[in-house]
Amino acid sequence: MENFFAKMKEYLRMDTEISFTEFNDYYQQVMDYLKANYEKMEKEDNIKAKFILMILASNSAARAQRKGPEMKKYRKINEKTKFWADAINYRLIQSGMSQSEIDQALDEINKEI
């Protein structure tokens, strides 16, 4: 998860928007990682994954509003990233964190960037 988090931080510092191909590749890699490792992820990785998924969901939602050939693909990405973000949020709550603690952890990550 650390590699994905580092890459997301790099993306967030960019002044230009990445292409659909790069966006989709990153998204697919994150999804593949989650599918393979979700059950054994620790709390810190879950927080980072939720942060990454929130950024992906937000960006895909914004891009899905634009007319173009990738509009539907962005919409699908948005749906899947929201699903995973909700699943991770649920898991964090089940592990004993409150929603305010989760939100605070995400805010702290956001401040670092």
Side-chain angles (χ1 to χ4, degrees):
M1 187 51 56
E2 198 59 43
N3 291 337
F4 297 117
F5 186 66
K7 189 66 173 174
M8 179 55 74
K9 286 169 49 175
E10 180 184 321
Y11 285 144
L12 291 171
R13 291 186 186 118
M14 293 174 64
D15 292 334
T16 57
E17 189 175 275
I18 62 173
S19 68
F20 171 76
T21 303
E22 188 171 352
F23 187 98
N24 192 53
D25 287 346
Y26 178 79
Y27 157 76
Q28 283 297 336
Q29 289 172 21
V30 170
M31 291 295 111
D32 291 345
Y33 180 86
L34 290 174
K35 289 174 188 172
N37 298 292
Y38 176 72
E39 293 299 323
K40 58 188 172 192
M41 286 171 52
E42 298 292 325
K43 183 173 104 173
E44 185 177 319
D45 282 341
N46 279 311
I47 295 287
K48 288 179 180 176
K50 180 158 172 63
F51 179 79
I52 290 167
L53 291 164
M54 288 171 48
I55 300 295
L56 285 171
S58 173
N59 279 277
S60 60
R63 291 178 181 209
Q65 299 300 313
R66 302 178 196 160
K67 298 271 186 220
E70 289 92 15
M71 188 175 164
K72 288 182 182 178
K73 293 175 186 174
Y74 280 122
R75 205 172 290 141
K76 202 64 139 166
I77 289 170
N78 179 262
E79 291 170 7
K80 289 182 180 180
T81 53
K82 284 169 117 180
F83 170 82
W84 275 99
D86 290 344
I88 289 172
N89 196 75
Y90 178 77
R91 187 166 199 213
L92 288 168
I93 289 171
Q94 292 300 106
S95 73
M97 288 184 80
S98 68
Q99 188 61 54
S100 63
E101 290 172 324
I102 295 167
D103 294 342
Q104 183 179 4
L106 294 170
D107 285 343
E108 287 175 24
I109 289 174
N110 204 25
K111 288 177 187 175
E112 289 176 18
I113 297 171

